[in-house]
Amino acid sequence: MNDELIKALFTESIQTQISAVESLTDEMATTVELLVANLLNGQRVFCCGDRTTGVIAQHFSNLMTDGMKLERPPFPVLALNAGKQKQLAALGQASDILLVIADNQENEELTAIMETAISRDMLIIALTGEGNDSVSGLLGANDIELRVPSLNPARILETQLFIVHGLCEQIENTIFPQEH
């Protein structure tokens, strides 16, 4: 019986990844283009999450400053910590990017941070899960949503981590093609 439950976990994770590849490929490519253009133009990326997704935001920031696969100069990417909204209000500028990583649960703090980004004329990239309409509802026409096709928080987090790794690799590949 335990073997069947374990197989079911892997199967659900694989199915979520397959669904994500079918629904998110174009959005990921657009996201990479946007992030590369932003970074090459000297703009910054701020990232944040809630609960567990905050760890993914911090991981993204670390990969972008330390390097994913390459030893390279750091990119100006900052994970927002305690007092996230005030940090963004103090540092965010027009054309900077806010990367919001949220699961499928509503979170007033994240929506307040997004409202701050909107008021500062920043672009927003949102990594979400199915059912997070509070984050999706704040996105404008130029913003991007990478919505993981799942309601299961564990599958959403797994896929968001994969997306973050994919974004970092593609950004490095684009900016430093000679290294690959």
Side-chain angles (χ1 to χ4, degrees), residues 30-48:
T30 302
T31 300
V32 168
E33 290 172 10
L34 179 63
L35 287 167
V36 165
N38 173 278
L39 295 169
L40 292 177
N41 286 328
Q43 300 301 121
R44 294 172 292 189
V45 177
F46 298 91
C47 50
C48 65

Side-chain angles (χ1 to χ4, degrees), residues 102-115:
D103 54 22
N104 61 341
Q105 298 181 17
E106 307 293 317
N107 184 294
E108 290 178 20
E109 182 184 31
L110 286 183
T111 55
I113 294 165
M114 289 177 68
E115 288 169 354

Side-chain angles (χ1 to χ4, degrees):
M1 179 147 144
N2 229 2
D3 289 351
E4 292 305 314
L5 293 175
I6 292 168
K7 287 178 184 178
L9 286 173
F10 277 104
T11 300
E12 183 183 10
S13 181
I14 291 165
Q15 289 302 324
T16 301
Q17 294 284 330
I18 290 169
S19 295
V21 117
E22 293 169 359
S23 65
L24 297 178
T25 301
D26 291 341
E27 286 84 358
M28 279 190 67
T30 302
T31 300
V32 168
E33 290 172 10
L34 179 63
L35 287 167
V36 165
N38 173 278
L39 295 169
L40 292 177
N41 286 328
Q43 300 301 121
R44 294 172 292 189
V45 177
F46 298 91
C47 50
C48 65
D50 60 350
R51 297 175 296 278
T52 310
T53 60
V55 174
I56 297 174
Q58 183 65 54
H59 183 59
F60 177 75
S61 175
N62 291 343
L63 292 173
M64 294 299 287
T65 54
D66 295 339
M68 174 81 180
K69 289 183 154 183
L70 302 176
E71 191 160 322
R72 56 162 175 78
F75 295 130
V77 177
L78 176 69
L80 301 172
N81 299 314
K84 297 171 188 155
Q85 186 178 3
K86 287 185 179 183
Q87 283 181 324
L88 191 64
L91 300 172
Q93 298 177 7
S95 298
D96 283 344
I97 293 176
L98 174 66
L99 172 65
V100 176
I101 305 175
D103 54 22
N104 61 341
Q105 298 181 17
E106 307 293 317
N107 184 294
E108 290 178 20
E109 182 184 31
L110 286 183
T111 55
I113 294 165
M114 289 177 68
E115 288 169 354
T116 298
I118 292 165
S119 74
R120 301 195 66 75
D121 203 24
M122 295 172 64
L123 298 168
I124 299 173
I125 299 169
L127 273 64
T128 64
E130 291 292 333
N132 194 327
D133 296 329
S134 66
V135 168
S136 300
L138 288 175
L139 297 174
N142 295 323
D143 298 326
I144 299 172
E145 181 178 23
L146 299 164
R147 181 179 282 233
V148 175
S150 178
L151 289 168
N152 183 326
R155 300 302 80 82
I156 293 168
L157 290 170
E158 292 164 0
T159 306
Q160 287 172 332
L161 183 59
F162 180 84
I163 289 169
V164 161
H165 286 163
L167 293 174
C168 291
E169 283 187 42
Q170 291 302 306
I171 290 166
E172 284 186 349
N173 290 346
T174 303
I175 295 176
F176 300 102
Q178 69 280 6
E179 302 294 326
H180 295 278

